[in-house]
Amino acid sequence: MSPTTYDEMVSGFRWRIPERYNIAVDVCDRWAAADPDRTAILDVSPAGRVEAWSFAALREASNRFANALRAHGILAGDRVAVLLPQSPAVVVAHLAIYKLGAVALPLAVVFGPEGLLHRLSDAGARAVVTHAGGVAKLGPLRDAVPGLDLVVSTDGAGDGALGYADLLAAASPDLIPVDTLADDPALMIYTSGTTGPPKGALHSHRVLLGHLPGFAMMHDFMPKAGDRMWTPADWAWAGGLLNALLPSLHHGVAVVARKAEKFEPEEAFRLMADLSVANAFVPPTALRMLRTVTDPRRRFDLRALRTLASAGEMLGPETFHWARTALDLTINEAYGQTECNLVLASCSGLGLARAGSTGRPVPGHRVAVIRPDGCPAAPDETGQIAVARPDPVMFLRYWNDPDATERKFLGDWMTTGDQGRMDGDGYVHFVGRDDDVITSSGYRIGPGEIEDCLLRHPAVALAAAVGKPDPVRTEIVKAFVVLRPGYGPSDALAAEIQAFVRTRLSAHEYPREIAFRPSLPLTTTGKIIRRVLRDEA
Ligand code: ATP
Ligand code: MG
């Protein structure tokens, strides 16, 4: 039974983390035994053909692939990279890696050679599971990654790669998964690299259990048999993998896999309508693109869509209100980071979703806004968002970087590098990353509030606000704006947008400079890289 209030949820909460736990056994083999024909993955081809994969099929394929990897020398603890777009093979590879007690290293397909080389060599990857595009990118890099002995391609053998299908066909379908401890390393995810070089955050199997309470909140305690989950986020990102794919499978909810080169808002609506998607996890940048589609409910049958969750960047009231009007849905915003994900969440089903708030501490996690000395801040006082250890969702350590791991903690608080405030009702409001907070005329301004206001102007599709050094005011606010189709840059429009913000926010917050751009620099996870814009300001 689901709780009816936040207090009930908190008081009734207790972690149940077994000593031995394996993600693959939990999300796949358990269902394959209990309900073998249940659909796990709906694989959508670029032409729109849909193929259903059952839990039994996933178990067999992952057993085979684990046996094949083992036969090629992959042992417990080895890092095995997965460089593939959303597809059943990604799931099979992850499951096989967990079953061997090895460490999955998800890599986004959009990474260029430098991004790949950095992560593969830093991680000391021993194998890569990829497709023809990945094999081509890896070719010139292989010599630079000592120990990378095995490349497997889903597009068949060649160019130094073994064929994925050949390996599956030749391997036994029988396997006894390694009986891992919940604390054994299972996966390593690199941070998005928004503020600097990406860091490898090593997680153990329990990380999935740590996500479940937040996942329940994000989807109003509603995932149930027959539901379908979809996220446009790459499953290589903590958000895609741990907020969508793996917890859905844990609940026996089918996940839609779609290989898309880029996010197309009309296509996204069409997919959700055609496949009767019930639960969606859509990060803010993608939601802002959906917002440019007029009248979506008239054009697409979205009646199946019951829960819509978002995380990874600030959502902001404008996009929150848009979803209520245009989709008749309340977006459940959550917050976390690769190192310690999904620790704040909203839950509209329990009346716990407020425009402009990233949500409340998820039961089981102790989250606070703290002062530099580690003491909790007063209500509404801005400080550092922090999470107390131990916490099952928390990373084990940064890979190869004990100093960075050490610096991440202030006593038992894991600091996030994010500024926020908790209001008197216990809702957390994100202010900005430490480096993104703008200091102007003695005020500390979060860029999100300005960006949200800019979005309310009819000409604005996307916006980013940064601080530009100024001799008098320390910094002034400079805004980078992408216009909606039909609008062209002009001084008059810049002045109009400035006036628009000035009448809505206080005078020190309005952008004294506006630059129009055809696009903004985004991480592979769709986040605005404000540090690049700061350098240009
Ligand atoms: P890096 O650490 O390499 O600079 P990153 O912090 O962007 O990159 P992630 O771990 O993918 O890498 O992102 C986590 C960060 O995303 C959080 O620390 C926070 O700054 C931001 N974030 C996540 N959820 C939200 C949210 N709901 N509102 C605002 N910001 C959010
Ligand atoms: Mg970070």
Side-chain angles (χ1 to χ4, degrees):
M1 220 180 65
S2 55
T4 55
T5 64
Y6 181 75
D7 291 338
E8 220 176 281
M9 194 161 61
V10 172
S11 64
F13 188 84
R14 197 167 61 80
W15 286 112
R16 288 187 196 85
I17 311 286
E19 192 195 345
R20 296 197 168 265
Y21 172 76
N22 183 286
I23 295 176
V25 173
D26 177 21
V27 305
C28 174
D29 292 8
R30 190 170 56 90
W31 285 110
D35 191 0
D37 297 331
R38 186 190 271 247
T39 300
I41 303 290
L42 286 162
D43 184 25
V44 187
S45 77
R49 209 169 48 82
V50 181
E51 190 190 345
W53 272 65
S54 68
F55 282 95
L58 274 187
R59 176 174 59 183
E60 180 180 330
S62 59
N63 281 356
R64 286 177 184 272
F65 196 47
N67 282 322
L69 289 174
R70 188 178 269 159
H72 283 86
I74 299 301
L75 303 168
D78 285 346
R79 275 79 58 213
V80 179
V82 183
L83 173 63
L84 284 170
Q86 289 191 357
S87 56
V90 176
V91 188
V92 169
H94 271 268
L95 297 174
I97 294 164
Y98 303 140
K99 287 179 178 186
L100 290 177
V103 177
L105 176 68
L107 298 175
V109 277
V110 290
F111 287 145
E114 256 177 56
L116 286 178
L117 182 60
H118 168 71
R119 290 166 177 83
L120 289 170
S121 47
D122 183 61
R126 295 224 36 222
V128 183
V129 187
T130 187
H131 56 359
V135 172
K137 272 193 230 172
L138 286 170
L141 310 177
R142 276 186 75 168
D143 290 344
V145 189
L148 176 56
D149 302 326
L150 176 65
V151 175
V152 179
S153 171
T154 53
D155 290 316
D159 295 326
L162 301 182
Y164 170 77
D166 306 336
L167 289 178
L168 288 194
S172 158
D174 300 318
L175 176 92
I176 299 172
V178 171
D179 189 16
T180 49
L181 294 170
D183 281 334
D184 281 345
L187 76 155
M188 178 147 81
I189 308 184
Y190 280 81
T191 59
S192 294
T194 313
T195 52
K199 307 168 280 281
L202 184 67
H203 280 282
S204 59
H205 285 268
R206 62 167 149 80
V207 70
L208 177 59
L209 297 173
H211 276 78
L212 297 178
F215 180 78
M217 284 180 74
M218 286 169 101
H219 295 288
D220 295 337
F221 295 89
M222 283 207 286
K224 55 173 195 256
D227 271 1
R228 290 166 173 193
M229 157 70 78
W230 177 63
T231 179
D234 194 315
W235 292 345
W237 174 49
L241 185 70
L242 290 161
N243 290 2
L245 176 67
L246 294 177
S248 299
L249 295 179
H250 165 90
H251 286 291
V253 167
V255 182
V256 173
R258 179 163 165 271
K259 302 180 188 67
E261 295 283 307
K262 65 195 257 274
F263 184 81
E264 290 285 349
E266 304 252 341
E267 294 270 300
F269 276 127
R270 193 165 305 120
L271 179 84
M272 290 193 278
D274 289 353
L275 290 182
S276 304
V277 167
N279 319 104
F281 171 65
V282 188
T285 310
L287 285 170
R288 294 199 241 289
M289 290 168 79
L290 290 181
R291 184 173 161 267
T292 61
V293 175
T294 11
D295 238 347
R297 271 202 299 162
R298 196 178 49 77
R299 298 184 42 215
F300 305 97
D301 182 357
L302 299 169
R303 279 172 300 176
L305 190 60
R306 292 197 322 265
T307 63
L308 179 57
S310 186
E313 269 210 307
M314 187 165 139
L315 177 68
E318 180 57 25
T319 312
F320 180 91
H321 291 306
W322 160 80
R324 280 204 166 155
T325 312
L327 305 177
D328 196 23
L329 285 174
T330 297
I331 300 173
N332 285 330
E333 183 179 356
Y335 163 94
Q337 52 181 210
T338 308
E339 298 88 337
C340 193
N341 195 25
L342 205 37
V343 290
L344 297 171
S346 313
C347 180
S348 58
L350 292 186
L352 301 170
R354 287 192 184 172
S357 162
T358 58
R360 300 187 71 176
V362 172
H365 308 287
R366 199 150 69 83
V367 188
V369 172
I370 60 168
R371 296 179 178 156
D373 64 1
C375 290
D380 284 324
E381 179 186 337
T382 297
Q384 173 96 206
I385 302 174
V387 188
R389 67 177 162 188
D391 184 311
V393 91
M394 202 176 278
F395 72 144
L396 298 169
R397 60 179 185 274
Y398 286 124
W399 189 254
N400 282 342
D401 202 342
D403 293 345
T405 310
E406 178 82 30
R407 281 196 304 274
K408 187 79 176 154
F409 290 90
L410 181 66
D412 275 338
W413 289 115
M414 189 210 79
T415 57
T416 57
D418 292 320
Q419 301 280 314
R421 61 184 176 83
M422 192 182 274
D423 67 23
D425 297 331
Y427 287 77
V428 177
H429 300 258
F430 181 87
V431 172
R433 293 164 184 271
D434 289 349
D435 298 345
D436 287 344
V437 174
I438 303 163
T439 308
S440 189
S441 307
Y443 294 95
R444 290 179 52 73
I445 312 161
E449 200 183 345
I450 305 163
E451 291 162 7
D452 190 68
C453 186
L454 285 162
L455 281 181
R456 279 149 62 191
H457 189 281
V460 178
L462 274 181
V466 301
K468 176 178 175 174
D470 180 85
V472 180
R473 299 182 168 84
T474 316
E475 287 180 316
I476 57 156
V477 176
K478 174 161 183 172
F480 291 83
V481 167
V482 178
L483 293 173
R484 286 192 185 228
Y487 291 88
S490 70
D491 290 348
L493 182 57
E496 186 193 310
I497 293 173
Q498 284 173 313
F500 180 88
V501 178
R502 199 172 186 166
T503 54
R504 286 165 178 82
L505 298 180
S506 33
H508 64 273
E509 285 176 304
Y510 94 97
R512 284 173 189 270
E513 284 183 28
I514 291 201
F516 295 107
R517 289 290 155 92
S519 62
L520 296 178
L522 299 178
T523 63
T524 54
T525 51
K527 300 177 192 218
I528 297 168
I529 313 179
R530 293 188 191 77
R531 80 183 137 88
V532 171
L533 295 171
R534 262 197 303 277
D535 292 345
E536 289 173 23

